[in-house]
Amino acid sequence: TSTPSLSPSVSRVPTLMPSAHPSKVPTSSPSAHPSISTQPTSSPSAFPSTAPFVLFTYGESLYTDNDLGIQISVGLTARQIAQSGSSVRYDNGGRSSRRYHGMT
C-alpha cells in the first residue's frame, strides 16, 4: 500500500463556505459553525401545498366509527392496529409473541 500525499493544488486551510466539489482529504481544522436565524423568512414558500385547508374547532364535526367504537373528526380515517390483551398482527402476516398492553 502507498501513503496518500497532498498535491500542490490542495489547500490545507478550511473554507467558510461549502464547496461544490469537496476535497478528497480532510482539512486540518473544523469548518466554521453555521449561523442560525430566529427571524421568519421575508417571503412565503415558492410552492405552497395543494392540500385543501379546512379550519375547524376541536370536537366539531365528529362522526362515530361503529366498527372501532370511537368518535373521529369528519375527513379523518382510523384503523385498529392493536387491541389490549391480544397479540399484534404484523404487516407480513406474522404475530407478536407478546400481548399488547393496555393503558393502566
Side-chain angles (χ1 to χ4, degrees):
T1 61
S2 63
T3 304
S5 61
L6 294 176
S7 66
S9 64
V10 176
S11 171
R12 291 180 183 236
V13 179
T15 59
L16 296 178
M17 297 298 294
S19 63
H21 304 287
S23 65
K24 295 185 187 288
V25 294
T27 56
S28 59
S29 60
S31 301
H33 294 288
S35 62
I36 298 173
S37 173
T38 58
Q39 299 299 316
T41 57
S42 60
S43 60
S45 302
F47 301 102
S49 171
T50 59
F53 177 80
V54 179
L55 180 63
F56 67 95
T57 305
Y58 175 76
E60 182 180 278
S61 301
L62 295 176
Y63 77 95
T64 300
D65 183 319
N66 292 320
D67 293 333
L68 298 176
I70 61 171
Q71 284 192 324
I72 189 169
S73 297
V74 171
L76 298 180
T77 58
R79 66 184 177 112
Q80 183 176 4
I81 59 171
Q83 182 173 336
S84 180
S86 299
S87 61
V88 177
R89 184 174 52 92
Y90 297 134
D91 192 43
N92 66 4
R95 295 195 78 78
S96 65
S97 61
R98 293 186 170 179
R99 292 183 297 176
Y100 181 72
H101 61 84
M103 297 179 75
T104 56

